[in-house]
Amino acid sequence: MELAHNEGYVLASYAITAVAMVIIIGWVYIDSRSRQRELKRLDEAGIRRRSARTAAADQTVTGKTSDA
């Protein structure tokens, strides 16, 4: 398979795409770890999620659990 005149363009495009994907994956990974640390810190401080409060309030009112 000959790439002929487009060889440089095609290879540069693949390289740029690969670098961009690595950067995005790294960014998402680092951000995820940061959010997990923040959630752990908030949980240790006694701050709960709104959905957890709503579920606990529903159980108190109805006497039922939300587990199916």
Side-chain angles (χ1 to χ4, degrees), residues 25-43:
I25 290 169
W27 181 7
V28 168
Y29 177 74
I30 290 168
D31 187 58
S32 172
R33 291 186 60 193
S34 175
R35 296 301 131 230
Q36 290 296 324
R37 280 193 304 270
E38 185 177 357
L39 285 171
K40 184 178 178 184
R41 182 184 58 79
L42 291 171
D43 193 39

Side-chain angles (χ1 to χ4, degrees), residues 13-62:
S13 297
Y14 277 118
I16 290 169
T17 301
V19 169
M21 288 179 62
V22 168
I23 289 171
I24 291 170
I25 290 169
W27 181 7
V28 168
Y29 177 74
I30 290 168
D31 187 58
S32 172
R33 291 186 60 193
S34 175
R35 296 301 131 230
Q36 290 296 324
R37 280 193 304 270
E38 185 177 357
L39 285 171
K40 184 178 178 184
R41 182 184 58 79
L42 291 171
D43 193 39
E44 289 172 353
I47 299 172
R48 303 283 184 235
R49 296 182 189 132
R50 284 182 282 176
S51 60
R53 283 197 307 250
T54 304
D58 289 345
Q59 289 176 5
T60 308
V61 172
T62 63

